[in-house]
Amino acid sequence: MSEELEILQGAVAAVVYQNYDNGYAVLRMNCGGGVNVTVVGTIPMPVIGERLMVTGKWSNHSNFGRQFEAEFLERMLPQTALEIQSYLSSRAIKGIGPVMAARIVEYFGEQTLLVMEREPEQLAAVPGISLEKARLFGAEFRRQAGMRQLMEFFALHHLPTELAVRAYKLYGEQTVELLYDDPYLLMDEGLDAPFNAVDRFAIELGVAADDPRRIEAGVLFELSYNLTAGHVFLPKDKLIAATAHVLTVEPEEVAEGVRRLREGERLVCQNLANIDVVYLPHLHEAEVYSAYRLLSMARWEHPEPGNIERLMQTVESESDVRYSDQQRSAIRAAASSGVLLITGGPGTGKTTIVNGILSLLGHMQLRCVLAAPTGRAAKRLTEVTGEEASTIHRLLEAGIDPNTGRMVFSRDEDQPLKADAVIVDEMSMVDVQLLHSLLKAIPMNKRLILVGDPDQLPPVGPGFPFGDMLRSNMLPTVRLTDIFRQARESLIVMNAHRINSGELPELRRVDRDFFFMRRRTEEELTKLICDLCSTRLPGKMGIPADQIQVLSPTRKGPAGTVYLNKLLQKVLNPPDPSKKERQHGDFSFREGDRVMQIRNNYDIMWKKSDGSAVGAGVFNGDIGTITAIDLHAEVLTVTFDDREAEYDFSQLNELELAYAMTVHKSQGSEYRAVILVAWNGPPMLLNRSVLYTAVTRARELLIVAGNEEIVATMVSNAKRNRRYTGLKLRLQGKADA
């Protein structure tokens, strides 16, 4: 192996592998004389036909033989007509395939790319290309060129290459110039770059340790970072101390940075329960508005119908249900309450109450809409009520602002929801920002009914609004405590309540719907899980594999979802010559795979499977099946229930296998059968609320696989990470104006 740097120059003949997340690629490069060389390294968005000048060194890989490791890269446009045709034929420019590429190159020869860059209108002289298409091709060519240059700049400075795509959308061709002026622009909303990488980049550009831009960026980072822990604000002294530690500067310098940010209205400082606290402005607005609007709606008087007793009798008769006193009280309260909270554990009749409320309000000639935080929760709500339910995001008509790239909702005070009552299920999953957006879209004189179980896991986002509302004791609330006879027959339900009370679940019974299967080694555990999903439950219990969900508290380790998904993919959807697949990172997506969307994306287009409608937007937690992979067009199709969505290969980092998922990701969903992994993991994830949430996801069957000592550990660990949130105090009027 040579340690001396060499330079290779040639055209890309084939792209063997590329990672869209970090820009790593494996190429075959034609260096002349009919010799193709394997080149590996950070080479973002390589395209067949483009010319590269690569500086690096030779190495011998144990599996792949001799290859050239690229350290520096310079791109050059294809030069010969043949190279240009190969470049365009690879679909580097959307809308241009092999046939169109041949026509264009035949017409313009070696001047083709110069024409596309400077005078794209001339392309309209080629048969089949309109003037509009010609301009689009030119714009796309310039965008691709600018994007590649920016990705190389980011790779050179060890910044995530996928960040370049977002930065280019926001700042275009001025991105590099703007970043030289203020590298901390990468911390802006919509870019959300990792602070450590941006800070290292800034120091490379000569930013001093005590530069005001660095200190202010550090303060904002600390607040934004703590959103992931659920905090809406931070106490001022903790914020200053943490930021000073991260930046290795004096606390006085950070305090001065906080002052500047407050004066520039980039922070809000307030006294809350005699503690000085600091908010990001949008979170302060969300919390203050939510408290004001909830109290205002709760004070709104809705006269109870004079014939309420007769209406209640009609509802009870139509539903063929004998309501308990608690249920009757909840249904009747919905007739006159501006805001109503309904809470209770499994088996306490929340669904029965929602159906009763829908019936009562319907008899009162009031229009109701149903919503839930996730697509799975909305689907379940539709199934149990028989009425159409949607995600809160769809209800509010979420979209992306083309100018900022940020999420916006069409429904707000100016365009409110056209409903007399809004019923939201699974409220424990709703964070303060989503609550804020929902309240803005509901007129003051309408009804809001919130249903949930605060003992489940809190929202992924900041705050815990449902818990704060309940603890404030300032809003009308019905707390359900009675477990109905039919529910008491379910060991799933009874064990859920035992867990919630701090008692060990019954693990020894084998005659009901809750089973414990002990395994002592990792190999035994993973083999059991694979056998249960592939043969035992489908064969002996008649439960198809696609109705079984494996849950684990953690992603990492031998019992984590990443490893389990690889094993389950092998047994449930093994490689097959008839199934196309696409390598992504260290695993493959394959036709037939169960996958999950892991972030909200409002740009992904979908169409109904029957072609009856089209739309945009796929949301965090949506689960579907890969139904097609087009390797030539680099498109993957996922079917989510009755919707088909297409993913460009560059978007595959938004999907992950979903044979196994974390308990957190399962919130709001219900599965016919659940296999819960009870194995070693981070102590913070082995807690009572994780176990309780997992158990309540199962509808017919729950199997706990692993170690009973882990189950006991989870039951005894009732500690919840404290969230800094002020909604309860604001509802109680204990916050300074």
Side-chain angles (χ1 to χ4, degrees), residues 310-340:
R310 183 169 58 81
L311 288 176
M312 286 296 300
Q313 291 172 7
T314 301
V315 169
E316 194 168 48
S317 174
E318 289 178 347
S319 63
D320 196 25
V321 172
R322 180 69 177 173
Y323 295 126
S324 69
D325 291 342
Q326 285 184 337
Q327 290 177 318
R328 177 178 288 273
S329 173
I331 296 169
R332 183 165 180 166
S336 56
S337 300
V339 174
L340 179 62

Side-chain angles (χ1 to χ4, degrees), residues 238-504:
K238 291 183 181 295
L239 172 63
I240 290 173
T243 307
H245 176 74
V246 168
L247 300 182
T248 320
V249 297
E250 295 300 320
E252 293 76 16
E253 294 175 302
V254 178
E256 185 62 22
V258 170
R259 183 191 62 78
R260 289 192 302 269
L261 288 166
R262 185 188 67 226
E263 290 179 351
E265 298 184 349
R266 298 176 70 191
L267 291 181
V268 175
C269 297
Q270 191 174 21
N271 189 275
L272 203 59
N274 297 318
I275 298 174
D276 290 328
V277 301
V278 183
Y279 286 85
L280 293 169
H282 68 284
L283 287 172
H284 180 262
E285 179 190 356
E287 198 172 81
V288 170
Y289 182 95
S290 295
Y292 158 75
R293 199 59 182 262
L294 285 167
L295 291 172
S296 299
M297 291 181 69
R299 285 192 289 263
W300 195 276
E301 294 185 5
H302 295 278
E304 190 175 75
N307 60 342
I308 185 65
E309 282 299 333
R310 183 169 58 81
L311 288 176
M312 286 296 300
Q313 291 172 7
T314 301
V315 169
E316 194 168 48
S317 174
E318 289 178 347
S319 63
D320 196 25
V321 172
R322 180 69 177 173
Y323 295 126
S324 69
D325 291 342
Q326 285 184 337
Q327 290 177 318
R328 177 178 288 273
S329 173
I331 296 169
R332 183 165 180 166
S336 56
S337 300
V339 174
L340 179 62
L341 313 182
I342 301 173
T343 181
T348 56
K350 295 191 296 293
T351 298
T352 300
I353 289 172
V354 170
N355 280 319
I357 290 173
L358 285 170
S359 178
L360 175 62
L361 298 184
H363 282 294
M364 293 170 59
Q365 304 299 309
L366 299 177
R367 181 172 182 266
C368 301
V369 296
L370 296 170
T374 67
R376 301 286 291 187
K379 181 183 178 184
R380 178 173 169 269
L381 188 57
T382 297
E383 291 169 351
V384 298
T385 63
E387 300 289 337
E388 184 67 27
S390 70
T391 64
I392 298 174
H393 287 82
R394 281 196 203 287
L395 181 68
L396 301 181
E397 299 176 18
I400 291 292
D401 185 330
N403 298 317
T404 65
R406 297 171 185 168
M407 181 182 69
V408 292
F409 293 108
S410 296
R411 294 293 179 179
D412 54 19
E413 297 101 331
D414 297 325
Q415 295 287 332
L417 294 168
K418 296 178 180 178
D420 299 301
V422 176
I423 302 175
V424 182
D425 196 14
E426 297 287 355
M427 261 303 294
S428 64
M429 299 178 64
V430 176
D431 64 37
V432 71
Q433 297 176 101
L434 188 54
L435 175 65
H436 174 222
S437 298
L438 176 65
L439 291 171
K440 286 170 65 177
I442 303 175
M444 190 76 77
N445 62 341
K446 304 303 181 182
R447 293 166 173 81
L448 176 62
I449 299 158
L450 306 175
V451 185
D453 182 352
D455 294 317
Q456 292 185 19
L457 290 168
V460 174
F464 192 6
F466 194 56
D468 282 349
M469 291 181 222
L470 293 168
R471 287 191 295 270
S472 75
N473 295 316
M474 297 298 294
L475 302 171
T477 302
V478 176
R479 301 176 190 271
L480 305 171
T481 56
D482 296 337
I483 303 174
F484 289 89
R485 181 185 60 80
Q486 186 176 359
R488 285 199 300 271
E489 295 174 358
S490 166
L491 199 54
I492 292 174
V493 170
M494 298 313 296
N495 273 339
H497 284 278
R498 289 173 66 89
I499 291 166
N500 207 24
S501 300
E503 302 175 41
L504 288 174

Side-chain angles (χ1 to χ4, degrees), residues 143 146-147 150-151 153-154 159-176 178-179 183 185-193 201 403-405:
R143 188 188 74 83
M147 187 87 73
L150 185 59
M151 292 179 84
F153 175 79
F154 274 45
L159 294 168
T161 53
E162 70 270 20
L163 181 61
V165 178
R166 300 200 296 270
Y168 192 87
K169 284 182 179 178
L170 281 180
Y171 303 123
E173 296 176 359
Q174 297 179 316
T175 302
V176 173
L178 290 171
L179 291 180
L185 282 176
L186 291 172
M187 304 298 299
D188 284 357
E189 185 182 355
L191 294 174
D192 306 314
F201 169 56
N403 298 317
T404 65

Side-chain angles (χ1 to χ4, degrees), residues 130 134 635:
S130 65
V635 170

Side-chain angles (χ1 to χ4, degrees), residues 73-120:
L73 174 72
E74 183 178 343
R75 300 183 113 112
M76 298 165 288
L77 290 174
Q79 296 175 350
T80 68
L82 184 59
E83 289 174 352
I84 293 170
Q85 185 170 331
S86 295
Y87 171 75
L88 294 178
S89 295
S90 69
R91 300 184 185 274
I93 309 300
K94 285 188 178 180
I96 300 181
V99 175
M100 185 71 74
R103 287 185 199 158
I104 294 172
V105 174
E106 182 180 3
Y107 199 96
F108 295 104
E110 295 180 357
Q111 300 299 309
T112 296
L113 299 183
L114 192 63
V115 169
M116 293 185 77
E117 180 182 8
R118 299 182 181 178
E119 300 178 274

Side-chain angles (χ1 to χ4, degrees), residues 547-586:
Q547 296 181 33
I548 304 167
Q549 185 61 59
V550 177
L551 299 181
S552 174
T554 181
R555 285 179 53 83
K556 299 180 180 179
T561 59
V562 174
Y563 182 62
L564 289 174
N565 269 317
K566 290 181 181 179
L567 295 181
L568 290 166
Q569 185 190 43
K570 287 181 182 178
V571 297
L572 297 177
N573 190 32
D576 188 300
S578 67
K579 294 181 178 180
K580 297 187 182 69
E581 58 182 77
R582 171 69 184 188
Q583 185 75 21
H584 181 73
D586 60 351

